[in-house]
Amino acid sequence: LMTFIQNSPAGIWYCIVLMALGIWMLAEGGGFLVTGGLGLAKQLNIKTVVVGLTIIAFSTSAPELAFNVFAASGGHGEITIGNIFGSNIANLALVLGIGALVHNDVRKKKGELSGTPIKTEFIKREGKWLLFSTLGISVITAIILFWGNEPDTFLNFNASLGILLFLFFLLFFWHVVILHRKKTRTNTQETETDNQGDCSLSKAIFLLLGGFALLVLGGKSAEIGAVAGARILGISEMFIGVTIVAIATSLPEVVTTIIAAKRDEAELIWGNIVGSNIFNVLFVLPITLVVAHFVGIGYIAIGTDENESLIYMGFMMFITVTTWAMMKRKSDITNFEGRLLIGLYAAFLIGV
């Protein structure tokens, strides 16, 4: 399909149609995920933040996973690393910035003059997972760039590194599900009396599955249109991964965050964004590396231009630390901070 679009005289128009169709499916899928996730949380007495960190974070990371698996299988490893770096940047700068502006507007209309307080436990636990996973993969990338990234060395993005990262993902998943369970039980009675029956268990599961399917299809459609269009215009793969593909695969987070913000679900916003970034590093990347190994690629080369990779990695670290500093204020992102994040992302795109 990609080859057909690139060779067709009307290729750019096919790209536009695929992008539009993909965005529509992403929007519908995001709505299904939020409704189904909140319904599941109420029916099973699960905290909203846990749903955001697990079910919805995984679902909104599905386009990144689907794209990376297909790209790694086709031998386009460089674009997969760019996709992960770019998606994490977009989630924290673009998605969180938009979510903050929408959520603050909703609270203002309700007469609330201050943002929703961020729980200290979330900052200490999930916030540190976000910070350390980002800094960890950045340090690993720097080591590979300077001392590896060659066929005759072990210091590469290979299956061994993928397995190590996946072990950390299992630890994170255990941390989210097990450590939150005790606090969930203490709030069981309150949860059961809160709008019980708004969404049955079967309906919630159906919405989650339907939303997941729409996200995968929509993400893939948007990605094909974006990548084919970029190649028609003659843009490099690393740049495609960090910018166009990253934005396309972050659309589920954008849609889900806006819907959650309009429903005044701050915990779902934070859980979705933080969880998605952790999933990208500790789940999507390991699966990509293992797939690359089994299709005979061996390892994924980061790219021939070290400075380009360091710029992307450095900005990912910068935006993560900036967001971490905002989280430590223990309140929602203000309108000023939201505009600042979006402005930083716009400056990043213009700069690269």
Side-chain angles (χ1 to χ4, degrees):
L1 179 59
M2 189 84 69
T3 304
F4 169 77
I5 293 174
Q6 289 178 238
N7 295 332
S8 173
I12 195 67
W13 295 107
Y14 289 138
C15 295
I16 293 173
V17 171
L18 285 172
M19 282 288 291
L21 179 62
I23 291 172
W24 176 80
M25 286 191 286
L26 289 169
E28 292 297 314
F32 286 175
L33 277 178
V34 173
T35 303
L38 293 176
L40 187 68
K42 292 177 182 178
Q43 292 297 325
L44 299 182
N45 299 320
I46 303 174
K47 294 175 69 174
T48 303
V49 67
V50 176
V51 175
L53 283 166
T54 54
I55 298 172
I56 294 181
F58 172 77
S59 299
T60 54
S61 294
E64 283 92 343
L65 179 61
F67 176 83
N68 275 22
V69 167
F70 285 115
S73 301
H76 303 287
E78 184 179 346
I79 199 172
T80 64
I81 304 299
N83 182 27
I84 290 173
F85 286 1
S87 293
N88 280 16
I89 293 171
N91 286 344
L92 291 178
L94 178 65
V95 180
L96 184 57
I98 292 174
L101 296 179
V102 175
H103 187 228
N104 288 335
D105 183 64
V106 169
R107 290 183 61 79
K108 185 178 179 181
K109 291 179 179 178
K110 290 184 176 182
E112 301 286 346
L113 300 179
S114 60
T116 305
I118 303 172
K119 294 184 178 180
T120 304
E121 293 83 358
F122 182 85
I123 299 172
K124 290 182 177 179
R125 294 177 180 176
E126 286 73 31
K128 286 183 178 179
W129 271 97
L130 169 66
L131 184 65
F132 291 146
S133 63
T134 303
L135 295 180
I137 198 62
S138 299
V139 170
I140 290 172
T141 302
I143 292 174
I144 291 174
L145 278 172
F146 289 111
W147 292 287
N149 209 31
E150 297 291 341
D152 56 349
T153 178
F154 182 74
L155 296 174
N156 283 312
F157 276 106
N158 50 36
S160 298
L161 175 61
I163 293 172
L164 177 63
L165 292 174
F166 190 75
L167 291 176
F168 279 100
F169 169 76
L170 294 178
L171 184 62
F172 164 73
F173 196 80
W174 173 86
H175 151 82
V176 171
V177 174
I178 301 299
L179 295 186
H180 277 287
R181 183 179 296 176
K182 294 181 181 179
K183 292 187 177 182
T184 301
R185 288 174 178 171
T186 61
N187 296 326
T188 296
Q189 185 175 359
E190 179 183 352
T191 304
E192 288 178 345
T193 58
D194 181 20
N195 296 327
Q196 185 178 14
D198 285 354
C199 183
S200 66
L201 180 60
S202 58
K203 182 180 178 181
I205 294 174
F206 173 78
L207 289 172
L208 285 171
L209 292 176
F212 176 78
L214 285 173
L215 286 181
V216 173
L217 293 173
K220 189 61 183 174
S221 176
E223 287 154 18
I224 292 175
V227 173
R231 288 182 178 174
I232 290 173
L233 299 175
I235 303 173
S236 68
E237 283 197 4
M238 190 71 172
F239 179 81
I240 293 172
V242 173
T243 56
I244 300 174
V245 173
I247 293 173
T249 56
S250 292
L251 287 176
E253 283 89 349
V254 173
V255 174
T256 303
T257 298
I258 290 176
I259 294 173
K262 288 183 176 180
R263 300 183 184 184
D264 199 13
E265 293 286 352
E267 287 191 345
L268 196 59
I269 297 172
W270 281 104
N272 176 35
I273 293 173
V274 172
S276 292
N277 276 29
I278 296 172
F279 265 69
N280 284 343
V281 174
L282 300 182
F283 184 79
V284 176
L285 179 58
I287 298 299
T288 303
L289 297 179
V290 171
V291 168
H293 172 77
F294 279 106
V295 298
I297 296 177
Y299 76 99
I300 292 178
I302 301 177
T304 55
D305 190 342
E306 293 181 356
N307 292 329
E308 182 184 18
S309 300
L310 288 173
I311 288 172
Y312 300 149
M313 181 193 70
F315 195 82
M316 180 178 66
M317 290 178 59
F318 167 73
I319 205 68
T320 301
V321 173
T322 301
T323 306
W324 165 256
M326 293 177 179
M327 290 173 63
K328 291 192 71 176
R329 292 190 310 102
K330 299 181 182 179
S331 64
D332 264 358
I333 304 298
T334 64
N335 282 338
F336 171 77
E337 291 170 337
R339 295 188 184 98
L340 175 63
L341 288 173
I342 296 173
L344 287 173
Y345 189 68
F348 166 73
L349 291 181
I350 295 171
V352 299

